[in-house]
Amino acid sequence: MSKAGLTPIPAATIAQFEARHRLQLPQTYKWFLRAAGAGSPEPNCYSDPSRDLCFFLALIFDPAESRMAEQCFAFPPPAESGFVTIGTNAGGDYFLLSLDSGEVFYWDHELHDELIDRDEVVWLAPSLPALVEGLSSTPACEPEAVD
């Protein structure tokens, strides 16, 4: 799988991340990182007019970056929350990966600024590959402005 704007991540980098944080990433996510990678995907617009959702996926984090698991914001660590932060819209909102299921969720910082639970995140896709494949360059709605 090749995607414009993304750089494949070596398996060793992924394994180091898992060892450092004592967690197992879902297989579909590891496959995506090795095959497509991290960076700024093109196209990058997620829209679901039926749920009034529209925003940009500005950056998929590289596991070597501290932002991915050493979350420098209000989230508890992955071992407590069951989520790892995998991307951002560059406006303070984050894309989260469920460590149990591999599903991708969206967290809006303006709605919730405390602990995360499943009631505070919006389900987006069954996996990161499914989310990225569904991105478009022409939104069906107006993406949220980045502050």
Side-chain angles (χ1 to χ4, degrees):
M1 166 185 234
S2 174
K3 192 76 170 171
L6 300 180
T7 302
I9 304 298
T13 300
I14 299 166
Q16 289 168 351
F17 176 87
E18 290 178 313
R20 185 171 57 249
H21 298 286
R22 296 183 185 100
L23 56 82
Q24 282 294 122
L25 295 169
Q27 289 299 321
T28 55
Y29 180 62
K30 291 192 282 190
W31 171 84
F32 179 86
L33 288 176
R34 288 189 309 266
S40 298
E42 297 171 19
N44 66 352
C45 187
Y46 175 90
S47 61
D48 183 348
S50 69
R51 297 191 295 162
D52 196 27
L53 296 175
C54 194
F55 39 81
F56 291 111
L57 174 53
L59 180 65
I60 297 171
F61 296 145
D62 182 325
E65 289 187 20
S66 63
R67 288 186 287 182
M68 190 167 152
E70 298 165 7
Q71 304 164 2
C72 304
F73 29 89
F75 301 162
E80 292 176 35
S81 68
F83 292 105
V84 66
T85 304
I86 59 168
T88 182
N89 70 348
D93 300 335
Y94 291 90
F95 294 84
L96 308 172
L97 180 75
S98 167
L99 293 173
D100 294 334
S101 66
E103 295 171 294
V104 180
F105 295 83
Y106 182 75
W107 180 79
D108 185 331
H109 80 285
E110 292 182 16
L111 298 179
H112 307 285
D113 61 358
E114 294 293 324
L115 298 176
I116 325 173
D117 64 38
R118 298 245 181 211
D119 296 332
E120 298 174 348
V121 295
V122 177
W123 183 90
L124 298 179
S127 66
L128 184 59
L131 176 71
V132 170
E133 283 302 312
L135 296 175
S136 67
S137 56
T138 53
C141 53
E142 187 63 34
E144 292 180 11
V146 174
D147 300 332

